[in-house]
Amino acid sequence: EERQLVAGVGRDKTPDLELLGEITQLNITLEKKQRELEDAYARLEQLAVTDQVTGLYNRHHFFTVVQHFLEESRRYGLPLSCLMLDLDNFKSVNDHYGHIFGDYVLKMLAERFRNNTRKSDLVARYGGEEFVLVTPSTDIRTAQVLGERIRAAVEREPFTLGNVTANVTVSVGISGTELITKGPFDYLLDSSDRALYIAKHGGRNRVVIYSPETGAAATQQ
């Protein structure tokens, strides 16, 4: 028995080391796959709330969170403004230059929106070439300045992709809780859309504020 025990002390441990190495490698692989899965889930969540062309929030996510903005505004008595923005004659841009260039314009337009708004603002692609911007703690006159800044930023610099260049403008309709004091967010959205309609049919490339008295434009630029 003593000879067997002594002989066992010096036995070959190579198989144990190989097994340990395999287990370690397997754990590393599993951790890598777990990270890849988490990244995939994060990407799916991102795709669910953003527009694939512009990277802005999509319409569905916009309506999911915007009611919270309105509730906070009313709870604390702070102004909230809503801006509807629409590219002028965008169909002719698509028809003349093609959809690849059209998508590029939308993408770069979103970048100009981001560069001229705050992180606390909610910017979304509403549909087609129409966008919506909701700005908390912002009164109508400040929203007008913001709308004009965005309008000028779009008009100021042409959009260029390769050897294709096009000048694009945007029309803006504005409303806010100072003008629409009751009701759901749809009322605010509808009033800013009415102002946008006036801007589009009043010559385009302008900013218009909704007037609750007339249901039309209070101010044009």
Side-chain angles (χ1 to χ4, degrees), residues 112-181:
R112 297 188 192 186
F113 288 167
R114 279 188 287 261
N115 290 339
N116 287 279
T117 54
R118 305 165 300 181
K119 289 185 177 180
S120 58
D121 296 334
L122 179 62
V123 191
R125 185 181 180 187
Y126 193 69
E129 65 272 25
E130 195 169 29
F131 300 81
V132 60
L133 165 62
V134 174
T135 59
S137 302
T138 304
D139 59 29
I140 287 295
R141 293 306 170 188
T142 304
Q144 181 183 19
V145 172
L146 173 61
E148 176 59 27
R149 186 169 72 228
I150 292 174
R151 185 206 64 77
V154 174
E155 180 188 37
R156 183 167 51 245
E157 185 178 348
F159 293 80
T160 300
L161 178 64
N163 59 354
V164 177
T165 298
N167 292 298
V168 177
T169 61
V170 65
S171 297
V172 184
I174 301 176
S175 186
T177 51
E178 298 161 89
L179 305 175
I180 307 298
T181 58

Side-chain angles (χ1 to χ4, degrees), residues 88-125:
D88 299 322
N89 300 315
F90 185 65
K91 184 179 183 300
S92 64
V93 173
N94 265 332
D95 292 344
H96 188 72
Y97 299 108
H99 289 284
I100 292 177
F101 183 75
D103 284 351
Y104 170 78
V105 170
L106 292 174
K107 182 178 179 180
M108 292 299 101
L109 184 76
E111 187 66 23
R112 297 188 192 186
F113 288 167
R114 279 188 287 261
N115 290 339
N116 287 279
T117 54
R118 305 165 300 181
K119 289 185 177 180
S120 58
D121 296 334
L122 179 62
V123 191
R125 185 181 180 187

Side-chain angles (χ1 to χ4, degrees), residues 1 7 13 30 32 35 47 51 66 74 83 87 112 158 165 183 214 220:
E1 293 182 358
K13 295 185 179 180
L30 288 174
K32 180 181 178 182
R35 288 194 298 269
L47 289 173
D51 172 67
V66 75
R74 288 174 174 167
L83 293 80
L87 280 176
R112 297 188 192 186
T165 298
T214 62
Q220 296 189 25

Side-chain angles (χ1 to χ4, degrees), residues 2-214:
E2 289 181 0
R3 285 197 300 271
Q4 291 177 354
L5 289 173
V6 172
V9 172
R11 66 187 176 86
D12 187 3
K13 295 185 179 180
T14 301
D16 291 342
L17 292 175
E18 290 178 351
L19 179 60
L20 181 60
E22 291 176 3
I23 293 174
T24 302
Q25 186 60 44
L26 180 60
N27 285 332
I28 293 174
T29 302
L30 288 174
E31 289 177 0
K32 180 181 178 182
K33 292 298 182 182
Q34 181 65 29
R35 288 194 298 269
E36 291 176 353
L37 188 60
E38 291 173 354
D39 291 342
Y41 278 128
R43 178 60 178 161
L44 285 174
E45 290 179 356
Q46 184 71 8
L47 289 173
V49 301
T50 58
D51 172 67
Q52 294 185 36
V53 175
T54 64
L56 298 174
Y57 288 125
N58 59 32
R59 180 171 177 160
H60 174 75
H61 182 70
F62 172 79
F63 279 109
T64 300
V65 301
V66 75
Q67 188 61 35
H68 171 73
F69 279 64
L70 183 60
E71 291 171 356
E72 290 292 292
S73 169
R74 288 174 174 167
R75 180 178 296 119
Y76 298 107
L78 298 172
L80 180 77
S81 292
C82 177
L83 293 80
M84 292 290 292
L85 310 101
D86 190 86
L87 280 176
D88 299 322
N89 300 315
F90 185 65
K91 184 179 183 300
S92 64
V93 173
N94 265 332
D95 292 344
H96 188 72
Y97 299 108
H99 289 284
I100 292 177
F101 183 75
D103 284 351
Y104 170 78
V105 170
L106 292 174
K107 182 178 179 180
M108 292 299 101
L109 184 76
E111 187 66 23
R112 297 188 192 186
F113 288 167
R114 279 188 287 261
N115 290 339
N116 287 279
T117 54
R118 305 165 300 181
K119 289 185 177 180
S120 58
D121 296 334
L122 179 62
V123 191
R125 185 181 180 187
Y126 193 69
E129 65 272 25
E130 195 169 29
F131 300 81
V132 60
L133 165 62
V134 174
T135 59
S137 302
T138 304
D139 59 29
I140 287 295
R141 293 306 170 188
T142 304
Q144 181 183 19
V145 172
L146 173 61
E148 176 59 27
R149 186 169 72 228
I150 292 174
R151 185 206 64 77
V154 174
E155 180 188 37
R156 183 167 51 245
E157 185 178 348
F159 293 80
T160 300
L161 178 64
N163 59 354
V164 177
T165 298
N167 292 298
V168 177
T169 61
V170 65
S171 297
V172 184
I174 301 176
S175 186
T177 51
E178 298 161 89
L179 305 175
I180 307 298
T181 58
K182 297 180 180 179
F185 178 78
D186 287 349
Y187 291 3
L188 200 62
L189 190 66
D190 180 68
S191 57
S192 60
D193 193 46
R194 288 173 182 267
L196 175 62
Y197 178 87
I198 298 298
K200 299 288 284 187
H201 289 78
R204 300 185 179 86
N205 191 27
R206 62 184 60 206
V207 177
V208 171
I209 297 176
Y210 175 77
S211 170
E213 291 79 15
T214 62

